[in-house]
């Protein structure tokens, strides 16, 4: 097909056949540490792949996209981060590749909602879908999988207990936000970039302590050197998402940890 790269032909066929009213783009490489070792590969997949999709959408005549980006694009702030706050291309290649993809979407002329995820966590309350990466890199599932040797990268950050502070948001709340985003676009409303979090920060040590409470098991912690590219603090200001989409997270940190633990009990054996 003229104007479509050979590698993108299968996606072209799907888009042409289904003609979705909204395209949800979740795909990408996410491992921050690995992005330091394979920077151009991350740009190829996260930025190049997104650009290929945008070109296909325009070729097919599709106009609406909801994109999964990351809070990793921001410079650190000692307060909840707002969408206009400073971004840093050099945080790490993963974040740079996602910011590049965001820029391509904004310049594409397509109507869009770009969600900057903070730390997505938890599992389906019905225990059908949970978090399992290979290799596992996220704190909560990695801790639940290996309570006898939890590895924490850095305990000398400028935070109250020396470990990184993050904003954890339940996957079900994020799924709801995506449906709200699609409805927003289909109503012909303006494009937005929106944070998805809870507005509450929890340190790595705090998460481990709460997992001990949920599992009623002792956890052995091994502190390692800092992981390159990890900012000390990332907490969301979600006031814009509340205003634009009436987004309101329903799950607190204990609900996130309990649903994650329930899923792992069912599926890790």
């Amino acid at each position: 097909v003229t104007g479509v790269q050979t590698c993108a032909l299968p996606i072209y066929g799907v888009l042409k056949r289904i003609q979705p009213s909204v395209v949800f783009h979740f795909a990408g490489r996410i491992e921050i540490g690995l992005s330091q070792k394979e920077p151009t590969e991350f740009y190829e997949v996260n930025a190049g792949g997104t650009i290929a999709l945008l070109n296909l959408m325009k070729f097919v005549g599709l106009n609406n996209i909801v994109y999964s980006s990351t809070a990793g694009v921001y410079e650190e702030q000692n307060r909840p981060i707002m969408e206009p706050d400073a971004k840093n291309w050099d945080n790490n290649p993963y974040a740079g590749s996602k910011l590049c993809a965001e820029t391509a979407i904004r310049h594409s002329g397509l109507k869009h909602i770009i969600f900057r995820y903070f730390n997505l966590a938890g599992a389906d309350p019905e225990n059908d879908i949970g978090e399992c990466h290979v290799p596992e890199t996220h704190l909560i599932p990695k801790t639940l999988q290996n309570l006898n040797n939890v590895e924490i990268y850095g305990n000398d950050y400028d935070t109250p207990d020396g470990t990184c502070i993050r904003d954890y948001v339940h996957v079900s709340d994020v799924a709801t936000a995506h449906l709200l985003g699609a409805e927003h676009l289909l109503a012909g409303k303006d494009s937005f970039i929106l944070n998805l979090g809870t507005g509450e920060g929890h340190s790595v040590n705090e998460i481990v302590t709460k997992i001990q409470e949920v599992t009623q098991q002792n956890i052995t912690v091994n502190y390692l050197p800092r992981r390159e590219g990890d900012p000390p603090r990332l907490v969301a200001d979600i006031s814009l998402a509340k205003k634009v989409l009436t987004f309101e997270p329903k799950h607190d940190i204990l609900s996130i940890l309990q649903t994650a633990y329930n899923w792992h009990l069912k599926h890790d054996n």
Side-chain angles (χ1 to χ4, degrees), residues 127-130 262-269:
N127 274 340
D128 291 328
I129 302 173
N262 291 346
W263 187 85
H264 281 278
L265 284 177
K266 181 177 178 181
H267 295 274
D268 276 355
N269 295 326

Side-chain angles (χ1 to χ4, degrees), residues 2-56:
T2 304
V4 178
Q5 298 176 10
T6 302
C7 63
L9 283 173
I11 301 174
Y12 166 78
V14 171
L15 294 178
K16 186 71 173 176
R17 183 175 69 256
I18 297 175
Q19 290 283 320
S21 54
V22 178
V23 172
F24 293 91
H25 179 7
F26 302 101
R29 298 190 65 180
I30 64 171
E31 309 91 343
I32 291 174
L34 190 57
S35 78
Q36 303 282 4
K37 300 176 182 178
E38 302 177 2
T40 54
E41 288 85 346
F42 271 69
Y43 274 92
E44 179 180 20
V45 172
N46 293 343
T50 298
I51 292 166
L53 175 62
L54 296 173
N55 287 335
L56 286 172

Side-chain angles (χ1 to χ4, degrees), residues 25 46 50 65-69 97-98 101-102 105 113-115:
H25 179 7
N46 293 343
T50 298
I65 183 169
V66 177
Y67 179 63
S68 303
S69 190
S97 70
K98 299 294 278 187
E102 284 191 16
I105 292 169
I113 294 289
I114 295 171
F115 285 125

Side-chain angles (χ1 to χ4, degrees), residues 43-111:
Y43 274 92
E44 179 180 20
V45 172
N46 293 343
T50 298
I51 292 166
L53 175 62
L54 296 173
N55 287 335
L56 286 172
M57 288 179 63
K58 297 176 80 171
F59 190 84
V60 175
L62 307 177
N63 298 313
N64 299 308
I65 183 169
V66 177
Y67 179 63
S68 303
S69 190
T70 174
V73 303
Y74 290 115
E75 289 187 358
E76 186 206 357
Q77 303 287 343
N78 287 322
R79 54 166 173 75
I81 294 171
M82 303 178 70
E83 289 83 356
D85 283 338
K87 268 66 71 177
N88 189 344
W89 287 88
D90 294 324
N91 281 343
N92 51 70
Y94 163 66
S97 70
K98 299 294 278 187
L99 195 54
C100 185
E102 284 191 16
T103 304
I105 292 169
R106 290 192 296 105
H107 290 173
S108 70
L110 300 178
K111 298 298 291 294

Side-chain angles (χ1 to χ4, degrees), residues 79-81 118 165-167 199-202 233-237:
R79 54 166 173 75
I81 294 171
F118 281 66
I165 293 174
R166 295 291 184 266
D167 184 337
E200 299 289 336
H202 302 277
R233 184 189 308 265
L234 284 175
V235 179
D237 183 316

Side-chain angles (χ1 to χ4, degrees), residues 9 32 62 77 128 142 173 191 222 237 242 248 254:
L9 283 173
I32 291 174
L62 307 177
Q77 303 287 343
D128 291 328
K142 193 173 182 179
D173 288 327
S191 299
N222 181 26
D237 183 316
K242 288 183 176 182
E248 193 68 52
L254 287 178

